[in-house]
Amino acid sequence: MTYEAPPLTLPEALILLTLNPGSGKPLCKAAFLAYGTAGAALAELELQGRIREERGRVQVVNPLDPADPLLAALLRTLPQGKGRRSGRRARSWVGDFDKHVRDTYLDSLVERSLLSRETRRFLGLFPYHRHFPVPPDLVPGLRRRFTLAETAGYPDRRDRILAALVSAIGLAGELTRNGRPGRTAMKVLRRAEWTAVAVHYNVKQKESGGGDGENDGWIGDSGDSSCGGGCGGGD
């Protein structure tokens, strides 16, 4: 019997794509992934025809709840309004709902038995979580699809958005198989996708404001600020 992978929303796909299965941590800082998942949720709502972007603001164009209850709840956080200057600024929403979106989708992946969760304690006091793929592991398949999409020039809109978000959270160099040209291609997509623009803005603000964003109760090491070459939100 052939196993068919369940359909994944963009936030779920981004979490799995950027997961280090060995450590149970993302390849980037937890805070950056939080911004990325928030941007991915907005992108998913746009793909489903619920929202649009106008001059940096998110406008609801179809208030009917999506079939996915998680997306339906997020859609209700966006104000409905008319006019060119109505709506919520995208980068502000990403900055306000980042951890909520990330944790909501992590919980969903655990509930769907696509990830397992281990809770550990730093110094025996401060809890943090690690997440590991549950067989059949979807991470290798997502990585292969990402590589194939890169090779083909990202013909699918979902793949283009994922690549743009990967660049926005600083992981283009980690996930490309095409070196500098691959990073450059993702950077171009990042600048073209408004959700990735909003994510990258928050990543750069976090970098300039200091703090490693690791010790937030999810997968941080509570003192280990090193996370390899994919930590930054740069190019």
Side-chain angles (χ1 to χ4, degrees), residues 3-225:
Y3 176 79
E4 292 186 5
L8 299 172
T9 60
L10 284 168
E12 292 168 333
L14 184 68
I15 288 172
L16 292 173
L17 180 67
T18 60
L19 179 68
N20 182 332
S23 67
K25 300 171 60 177
L27 297 169
C28 64
K29 292 183 179 180
F32 296 170
L33 180 59
Y35 296 137
T37 51
L42 291 179
E44 185 70 44
L45 286 169
E46 182 187 37
L47 285 175
Q48 295 191 18
R50 290 332 196 258
I51 63 172
R52 69 178 179 187
E53 180 264 348
E54 181 76 24
R55 297 180 177 231
R57 293 182 177 273
V58 183
Q59 298 179 342
V60 176
V61 295
N62 182 353
L64 296 178
D65 283 351
D68 182 339
L70 302 184
L71 289 174
L74 292 176
L75 181 63
R76 290 192 288 270
T77 69
L78 294 166
Q80 298 183 37
K82 297 180 179 180
R84 296 174 62 185
R85 299 199 56 83
S86 65
R88 176 75 182 272
R89 189 174 292 276
R91 66 191 190 190
S92 173
W93 190 91
V94 167
D96 287 345
F97 286 88
D98 54 337
K99 292 180 181 179
H100 169 72
V101 176
R102 181 199 62 194
D103 293 346
T104 295
Y105 277 97
L106 272 170
D107 290 344
S108 175
L109 288 167
V110 172
E111 290 169 3
R112 295 173 63 188
S113 297
L114 298 178
L115 289 178
S116 65
R117 174 176 290 158
E118 291 185 10
T119 300
R120 305 175 183 179
R121 291 186 178 273
F122 178 68
L123 299 178
L125 297 173
F126 307 105
Y128 63 93
H129 305 307
R130 295 289 174 87
H131 296 85
F132 299 92
V134 175
D137 184 355
L138 299 184
V139 174
L142 282 169
R143 297 273 176 86
R144 286 193 296 271
R145 176 185 169 90
F146 191 80
T147 298
L148 289 172
E150 179 181 43
T151 302
Y154 305 105
D156 182 79
R157 177 76 195 284
R158 284 181 175 271
D159 291 328
R160 291 197 296 273
I161 292 172
L162 275 176
L165 292 170
V166 163
S167 177
I169 61 177
L171 287 180
E174 188 80 27
L175 294 180
T176 184
R177 294 296 177 268
N178 196 28
R180 182 179 291 274
R183 296 195 303 272
T184 300
M186 290 190 215
K187 182 178 180 181
V188 170
L189 292 173
R190 184 192 83 205
R191 291 174 170 175
E193 294 289 343
W194 63 272
T195 51
V197 171
V199 169
H200 192 244
Y201 172 86
N202 280 279
V203 167
K204 300 305 287 186
Q205 288 291 108
K206 185 73 172 180
E207 286 183 324
S208 64
D212 62 18
E214 290 291 321
N215 185 15
D216 63 6
W218 178 43
I219 45 182
D221 281 325
S222 299
D224 177 10
S225 61

